[in-house]
Amino acid sequence: IEDVAASFAWVVRHIAEFGGDTNRIFVGGHSAGGHLAALLTLNEEYLERVEMSPNLIRGAVTLSGVFNLATGESQSSVFGNDPAVRRDASPLFHITPSAPPFLVTYCQWDYLRLPSQAREFHAALVKSGVSAKMVYISGENHISEMVNVPKEDDLTAHAILDFIRNQTLD
């Protein structure tokens, strides 16, 4: 997450050199990347360390991500078993009403706990007043969700593009 925050800071500081607009920066990722995009967006601590603010994030795209590490033994090799550490690494527990909009997806044949985590995360975002859209990707699994993005009729790609377009209509 420290590397993700540093990368985000670099983008903010250099985007204009490439014709980009700091008012139109979205973060996103799939699987662990979805977890990291959500954590970067919701836990201000990491962006503050690189002198940035989550207010610079226009929206977050979280595809088949992990949002709650506080329950179960999943990912213990990465996050250990300390409940406080696992909770702090969970985007679910950092949601505030000021968060930018979220797109949350999960697949029909996703990894076992990811669909329920996506639904729990989406519900918590909505309950907190955060604009959030949930998209169920039928007929896909955790890997094919990303492999099929280049296809013209891909539901995930269309969901991402629609989400970004809806956030930048101003």
Side-chain angles (χ1 to χ4, degrees), residues 18-167:
F18 299 94
D21 181 349
T22 57
N23 294 313
R24 293 177 179 239
I25 299 175
F26 288 77
V27 298
H30 173 260
S31 194
H35 167 257
L36 291 169
L39 192 60
L40 181 76
T41 303
L42 297 171
N43 187 339
E44 295 183 14
E45 168 187 344
Y46 299 105
L47 286 176
E48 287 174 354
R49 290 181 194 170
V50 293
E51 300 175 355
M52 293 285 143
S53 165
N55 295 334
L56 293 164
I57 299 172
R58 186 66 180 257
V61 176
T62 57
L63 311 174
S64 294
V66 178
F67 306 107
N68 183 356
L69 295 159
T71 59
E73 295 301 314
S74 175
Q75 307 297 322
S76 61
S77 64
V78 177
F79 297 98
N81 293 315
D82 182 336
V85 170
R86 293 176 69 88
R87 184 177 172 86
D88 192 52
S90 300
L92 178 68
F93 302 108
H94 296 283
I95 298 170
T96 63
S98 62
F102 270 78
L103 171 64
V104 181
T105 74
Y106 69 96
C107 300
Q108 182 173 0
W109 297 300
D110 221 324
Y111 293 148
L112 185 61
R113 295 186 63 228
L114 298 184
S116 62
Q117 287 215 9
R119 291 188 298 268
E120 177 186 33
F121 184 62
H122 177 260
L125 288 165
V126 171
K127 183 177 181 182
S128 292
V130 176
S131 174
K133 179 173 181 154
M134 168 82 80
V135 177
Y136 167 72
I137 310 297
S138 177
E140 299 287 356
N141 65 44
H142 193 71
I143 303 305
S144 68
E145 179 180 25
M146 292 311 302
V147 170
N148 290 327
V149 164
K151 294 180 179 176
E152 191 168 326
D153 62 344
D154 183 67
L155 181 58
T156 301
H158 284 283
I160 294 167
L161 293 172
D162 290 345
F163 174 75
I164 291 171
R165 284 183 192 117
N166 287 337
Q167 305 314 314

